[in-house]
Structures are given as structure tokens and as C-alpha cells.
Amino acid sequence: MQATACAHSNIALIKYWGNRDHALRLPANPSLSMNLGGLFTRTTVRFRDDLTADQAVVDDQLLHGAALARVSAHLDYARRLAGCTLRAEVISHNNFPAGAGIASSASAFAALSLAAATALGLQLSERELSTYARLGSGSAARSVPNGFVVWHAGSDHASSYAESIAPADHWLLVDLVAIISAAHKAVGSTEGHRLAESSPFQAARVATAPARLAECVQAVLSRDFERLARLVELDSDMMHAVMQTSTPPLLYWLPPTLAVMQRVRALRAEGVGVCYTIDAGANVHCLCLPSAVARVRAELLAIEGVGAVREASTGGGAWLESVQR
Amino acid sequence: MQATACAHSNIALIKYWGNRDHALRLPANPSLSMNLGGLFTRTTVRFRDDLTADQAVVDDQLLHGAALARVSAHLDYARRLAGCTLRAEVISHNNFPAGAGIASSASAFAALSLAAATALGLQLSERELSTYARLGSGSAARSVPNGFVVWHAGSDHASSYAESIAPADHWLLVDLVAIISAAHKAVGSTEGHRLAESSPFQAARVATAPARLAECVQAVLSRDFERLARLVELDSDMMHAVMQTSTPPLLYWLPPTLAVMQRVRALRAEGVGVCYTIDAGANVHCLCLPSAVARVRAELLAIEGVGAVREASTGGGAWLESVQR
């Protein structure tokens, strides 16, 4: 009873921040993302009759305490569905650094969900798998389907799921991630989502998100980069405005973050196909048209404080690598 | 018919951004400021019968075009009140650099208003002088009264004026201005105010401003620095969030701006009495308790990108230096 599954990280074009239900991770607003081909988590789940507790190893580190409990609670959901009481061994690897602006929890919980469900012989639809992944980490719902993905906010567990609006090969975009800081972020997303409501701007952000999302979906479907760029930057700036005006304030940007944002804006003003978006961290995702990649990479590496540039391009949905039952 | 008047610049603790009436500069929300003793404009106005047009020299530069027209239109208001048609010569000096985060238009139009009204023999009350100054530059209304000043938003010309809530000697605070960039800002405040409404956050900022202002007035009256600090930073961050999410976006911060913000937060967490606030520019005003000044100045000068630290402390209202009639 073992399966190995992989899932890409994803970058939100229209952001998720704040929940209407924290326990179920029902988001305050719908979101839109692009899977990041090349940045993924590979996870093996093996249910064993010789274990008295779940074990999990992430990037060669044994998990303990709250981190292990989060994985174990996630496995419980699949065990309940399968009527199984066996404990499991979980081995997971990210091919990118965790906790620094690239959403490792998204790819990790998407891969874990697919591996656990498969190891237990559950026949989940993509939609069901997406709702399952969401319970572990909201944005993991979006790492299940292919390419460009909308996560419907929904009103209960079954209605809050993600689905593809266009496959990965619809539009090749490149994400050059300017790595500013590999330091683990001070306030994680799960805790941050709880602070969203304390910002005087969260209600306006949530109320206007569906309209931004609808326009951004159109920009993706019509491959209109200029329109996409404007919306993606506005939505990122709006999320960070909410973060920065919450109580306590969350200021994830570092000085080089701002330098990259300004360089990206200046490049686009020159006609270079690039825009920025920033998750709950200091790194800057620079979405590029393929024609702009070489120029943008060189420009990013020339900015003081940018330690490295990581590259990904539009990626597919979660996939199974092996099954032994 | 000549008068010389001076007025301090001021720093807003609760910010003004956006107008309900652009022509009259009736602000979208009330604001609260502290005059900056030590940073002032000195302006001489001389009405002469040998001039066919107004002349103005600011920091030894002759004004032309729109800048001269703005001064001339401001003089017209006083001329109408006085029934005078003489043209004037205006000589003005700032003792700080213009257009880089220290509000030179506030001190300049406050000093100009007092000098022009006095030269023409008008007997204006402080309230009338404040409304007059407001027509030239909104925040100039606040440079007329003494010390800590509330500018009532009002609903028409006569009701939109500033008044002192506490004199300068009520509370000695020191403003250490971290000078990041002496470059003139790309988008001036008059133009920026017109963009405020395009931000999805402006309505929420305006709606919640009176409550922040009332709490901040209490913090000033009770000399409660910790409460002041929290409100001042939140209000500054809210204004910049509106700026950054307007269309087009206004991103006044530069990388060192962010470095200063973070250093100030870290210092306060250590118990140092300092908070930041930022106007429409890259410079950071670091408001300090007197006991914190030496430490904060040293910390600011150690930050890369901080070119200089300018110092001011709670200042009085506009004053007359000389009159010849």
C-alpha cells in the first residue's frame, strides 16, 4: 500500500489571502494560479502495519510536533474515506528551498493528497482530490489541476475546489524567481490568513477580487500579456497592502524586493514582457514572455541583494509516479 | 506694502490623500499634523505699482509657467479681498531641499498667505488664514496654527480649516528625516490626489480616517507614544497602500525606505521610542522621543542608502517677521 506522487508549486496571479472558514480553509475570495513546471514536490506514502504513529521526513528532516500533526491530520481524512487505520511513513522532497516565497506547502499537500489517496485505493475525481488537498494548505487545491487554474471559493467543503481553465501548453510563460532571502518567513501563511480580517482593506480586496479574477481569466485565455501584467501587479500590491495594514502588520518585502519591483516596471515601460507578483515572502516572481527571459534574467542578477534567479515555466497538474498495492 | 512671513513645514500623523473638491482642495478626510520646528520657508511679498505681472523667486530661481501661475492665482484671492489690483514681487527661501518628502508647498503657501494678506492690510483670523493657505496647497492649511494641528475636512471653503489641538511646547517630539533621495518626485501631490479615487482602498481609508484621527488626537493629548506610534505607522502604510494600488500606481518607496521602516520597527520592539511616517516621496520621517534621538540618528546613518539625516522638533505656527505699509 504505497504510492509516489508529484505536484508542482504554483504562483497565484489573483491571490488568496484570508479565509471565510479557517478550519476548512474556505478562502475569502476565489483565486487564479499558474502551475510552476520545474518546481515540484515528490512524496511517497506507505501505509504499514508495523507503525504505531505516522512518520514523515521532509527534505531529509524528520517532522515533529505541529508539523507532523498537520501531516497526520491530513492522512486521517483519507484513512476515514478508506476505512483504514494503518499508520503511514511519508517521505517528501522539494526540489526548491522551502518557506521562502515559493509555495512548498502547495506542492507538498497536493502530492501528499494524491499519494495517500492512491496508496489507500481511493478513486477520487480531480475535483475531490483538489478539495482534499485544500484541507492541508489552501493553495494546494490549485496544484492539482493542469496549467492555469481557478480555485472557486465555494461555500462548503465540496464546493471549494480548483479546476483548470487552460492547460499548460495553452501559453508558455516563464517565472523567473528573484531569490532575495532564503530565510524562513517570520509569519507563516496559515497564521497570516487569520490576520487578513484585521486590515481595513481586506473587505474591499475581497469584494473586488471576483472582477479582477474574471478579467485575468480573459487575459490568460486571450494570451493578452499587457492586460495580465497590469492585473497581476495590482492584485499582488493589494494583497501586500492588506498584509502591511493588518494588526500586527506583516511587511514581507525587503529592500531588494522593492528594487526588483521597480526594475520590472521600468523594463515593461521599455516594452519588455515582464510583470511581478509576490507571495508571503521577500522573493519576487517575475512572469515573462519567453522572448523577455534572457534580458530579464540578466537584469535581475545585476540587482544588489538578488542572490539567485530560479526558473520555472507553465506546468501541468499533479501526477502519479508509482503505485504498489 | 510689503511683508515677510515664515511658516514651518509639517508632518502629517494622520494623512491627507485625495480631495472631495479638487479646485477648492477640500480633502477627502480630516488630518492631523505636527509642525516641524527648524524646517521653514521665509517669504517676502511686495506689492508694487511698477509691475505688469507678478514675479516670484523661490530659492533664487525665477518661477515661470504653471508654477508662477499657481502663485499668481493665490495672490489673486488676497487682492480680491483687499480690492487691490497691484502686481507683486515674491521672494521665497526654504531652509531645506524642495520636492523630496519634506512638504515645501505646505510651509511655502502658509508663509505666502500670511505675507500677502499682511502686505495688503487684511485682518484675517487664524482660521481664515488657514482656509486661504489651503487653496494654494492643502497641507499648507496645517502650517498656520501652532504645534499639533487638526485640519477639519469641512464641506465648503469656510469650513475646511486647521486649528491647534495642543501648542508646540505640549510635547517635544523630534523628527529625524532620513534623506533617501533628493531627486524631485515623479508625480507631485496635486496630481497624486486626483489618482486617490482610482484605488479600491481609498473609500475604506477615508471611511476609517476619522476614527484613527480621534484616537491619534487622544494619543497626542495624553503623550502616549506607543499608541501614537502604532496609529502613525498604520496610517502612513494605509496611504501608501492607496498610492500603490491606484491606476497608474504610485510607488514612492525606494529600497532604503524599506530598510529604514524595518529598522525603526525593530528598534521600537527593543523599546526605543521611535516610529516612522512617509509622505509622497522616498524619505522617512522618524518621530522620536527626545531620549531616543542619539540612538536613532546613529542607526539611520548606518543604513545603506540614507544620505543624510535632517532634524526638526515640534514647531509653532506661522509668524510675521516684518511689515512695511
Side-chain angles (χ1 to χ4, degrees):
Chain A
M1 295 179 70
Q2 168 179 342
T4 298
C6 300
H8 291 122
S9 182
N10 68 75
I11 178 67
L13 308 176
I14 298 294
K15 304 291 193 189
Y16 153 51
W17 192 248
N19 290 319
R20 58 184 287 178
D21 182 314
H22 291 293
L24 289 176
R25 298 183 200 270
L26 301 180
N29 62 280
S31 53
L32 169 66
S33 62
M34 178 180 109
N35 284 332
L36 294 177
L39 301 180
F40 63 91
T41 301
R42 172 184 284 112
T43 300
T44 298
V45 177
R46 181 184 300 142
F47 289 91
R48 290 167 42 168
D49 54 14
D50 60 341
L51 291 178
T52 57
D54 293 321
Q55 295 177 351
V57 181
V58 175
D59 288 338
D60 304 323
Q61 301 273 318
L62 253 176
L63 295 193
H64 297 285
L68 177 60
R70 188 171 172 187
V71 169
S72 205
H74 199 67
L75 293 172
D76 286 344
Y77 179 90
R79 278 189 284 246
R80 266 196 309 277
L81 283 185
C84 168
T85 57
L86 294 179
R87 301 290 102 186
E89 175 184 275
V90 174
I91 313 285
S92 188
H93 284 280
N94 300 308
N95 76 338
F96 55 89
I102 300 174
S104 65
S105 64
S107 52
F109 278 97
L112 178 65
S113 300
L114 179 54
T118 305
L120 289 169
L122 294 171
Q123 305 286 328
L124 300 186
S125 66
E126 181 184 276
R127 173 174 170 168
E128 289 167 331
L129 194 64
S130 174
T131 63
Y132 176 27
R134 190 201 75 239
L135 295 172
S137 173
S139 56
R142 297 188 310 235
S143 279
V144 172
N146 180 13
F148 296 89
V149 172
V150 165
W151 173 15
H152 305 287
S155 55
D156 58 13
H157 174 58
S159 60
S160 186
Y161 68 99
E163 66 179 336
S164 178
I165 60 155
D169 62 4
H170 166 73
W171 198 11
L172 180 77
L173 292 177
V174 175
D175 183 6
L176 294 181
V177 191
I179 308 290
I180 308 290
S181 167
H184 212 82
K185 54 195 177 193
V187 176
S189 295
T190 297
E191 193 182 337
H193 284 293
R194 293 182 183 269
L195 297 180
E197 286 157 53
S198 71
S199 164
F201 294 148
Q202 171 70 349
R205 195 193 68 83
V206 167
T208 53
R212 278 193 305 285
L213 184 138
E215 194 181 344
C216 204
V217 165
Q218 286 311 308
V220 168
L221 294 179
S222 61
R223 302 185 190 89
D224 181 342
F225 189 82
E226 190 52 40
R227 194 175 173 194
L228 181 83
R230 194 171 37 79
L231 287 159
V232 163
E233 291 187 357
L234 172 62
D235 195 78
S236 174
D237 289 345
M238 287 179 72
M239 180 177 75
H240 284 272
V242 165
M243 292 164 162
Q244 289 167 19
T245 57
S246 67
T247 301
L250 300 175
L251 180 49
Y252 288 109
W253 298 348
L254 292 172
T257 309
L258 208 52
V260 172
M261 292 164 70
Q262 284 163 329
R263 195 77 202 97
V264 164
R265 285 252 170 93
L267 284 168
R268 194 158 80 257
E270 283 180 35
V272 178
V274 60
C275 67
Y276 67 75
T277 184
I278 305 167
D279 280 347
N283 296 342
V284 185
H285 293 255
C286 302
L287 295 174
C288 305
L289 289 172
S291 59
V293 170
R295 170 80 188 276
V296 173
R297 190 195 294 111
E299 295 275 356
L300 292 177
L301 285 169
I303 294 172
E304 195 185 322
V306 173
V309 174
R310 215 163 262 281
E311 188 166 338
S313 54
T314 323
W319 70 100
L320 265 179
E321 221 173 60
S322 65
V323 189
Q324 295 173 28
R325 280 185 52 84
Chain B
M1 296 181 70
Q2 168 179 340
T4 297
C6 300
H8 292 123
S9 183
N10 69 75
I11 178 68
L13 308 175
I14 298 294
K15 304 291 192 188
Y16 152 52
W17 194 247
N19 290 318
R20 58 185 288 180
D21 182 314
H22 291 292
L24 289 177
R25 298 185 200 269
L26 300 181
N29 63 279
S31 53
L32 169 66
S33 62
M34 177 181 109
N35 283 332
L36 295 177
L39 301 180
F40 64 90
T41 302
R42 173 183 284 113
T43 300
T44 299
V45 178
R46 181 185 300 143
F47 289 91
R48 290 168 41 168
D49 55 13
D50 59 341
L51 292 177
T52 56
D54 294 320
Q55 294 177 353
V57 181
V58 175
D59 289 337
D60 305 323
Q61 301 273 317
L62 255 177
L63 296 193
H64 296 286
L68 177 60
R70 187 172 173 187
V71 169
S72 206
H74 198 67
L75 293 172
D76 285 344
Y77 179 90
R79 278 188 284 245
R80 266 197 310 276
L81 284 185
C84 168
T85 57
L86 295 179
R87 300 291 103 185
E89 175 186 274
V90 174
I91 313 285
S92 187
H93 284 280
N94 299 308
N95 75 339
F96 55 91
I102 301 174
S104 64
S105 63
S107 52
F109 278 97
L112 178 65
S113 300
L114 178 54
T118 305
L120 288 169
L122 294 171
Q123 304 286 330
L124 300 186
S125 66
E126 181 184 276
R127 174 174 170 168
E128 288 167 331
L129 194 65
S130 174
T131 61
Y132 174 28
R134 191 202 74 238
L135 295 173
S137 173
S139 56
R142 296 189 311 236
S143 280
V144 172
N146 181 12
F148 296 91
V149 172
V150 165
W151 173 15
H152 305 288
S155 56
D156 57 13
H157 175 58
S159 60
S160 186
Y161 68 100
E163 66 179 336
S164 178
I165 59 154
D169 61 6
H170 166 72
W171 198 12
L172 180 76
L173 292 177
V174 175
D175 183 7
L176 295 180
V177 192
I179 307 289
I180 307 292
S181 166
H184 213 82
K185 53 195 178 194
V187 175
S189 295
T190 296
E191 192 181 338
H193 284 293
R194 291 180 184 273
L195 297 179
E197 286 157 54
S198 71
S199 165
F201 293 149
Q202 171 70 349
R205 194 192 69 81
V206 167
T208 53
R212 279 193 304 285
L213 184 137
E215 195 181 344
C216 204
V217 165
Q218 287 309 311
V220 168
L221 294 180
S222 60
R223 302 185 191 90
D224 181 342
F225 189 82
E226 190 53 41
R227 194 174 174 196
L228 181 84
R230 193 172 36 79
L231 287 160
V232 163
E233 291 187 356
L234 172 62
D235 195 79
S236 175
D237 290 345
M238 287 179 73
M239 180 177 76
H240 284 273
V242 165
M243 291 164 162
Q244 289 168 19
T245 58
S246 67
T247 301
L250 299 175
L251 180 50
Y252 287 109
W253 299 347
L254 292 172
T257 308
L258 209 52
V260 172
M261 292 164 70
Q262 284 162 330
R263 196 75 202 99
V264 165
R265 284 251 170 93
L267 284 168
R268 195 159 76 258
E270 283 180 37
V272 178
V274 59
C275 68
Y276 67 75
T277 184
I278 305 167
D279 280 347
N283 296 340
V284 185
H285 293 255
C286 302
L287 295 173
C288 304
L289 289 172
S291 60
V293 169
R295 170 80 188 276
V296 173
R297 190 195 295 111
E299 294 275 356
L300 292 177
L301 285 169
I303 293 172
E304 196 185 323
V306 174
V309 174
R310 215 164 262 279
E311 187 167 338
S313 53
T314 322
W319 71 100
L320 265 180
E321 220 172 60
S322 65
V323 189
Q324 295 173 28
R325 280 184 55 83

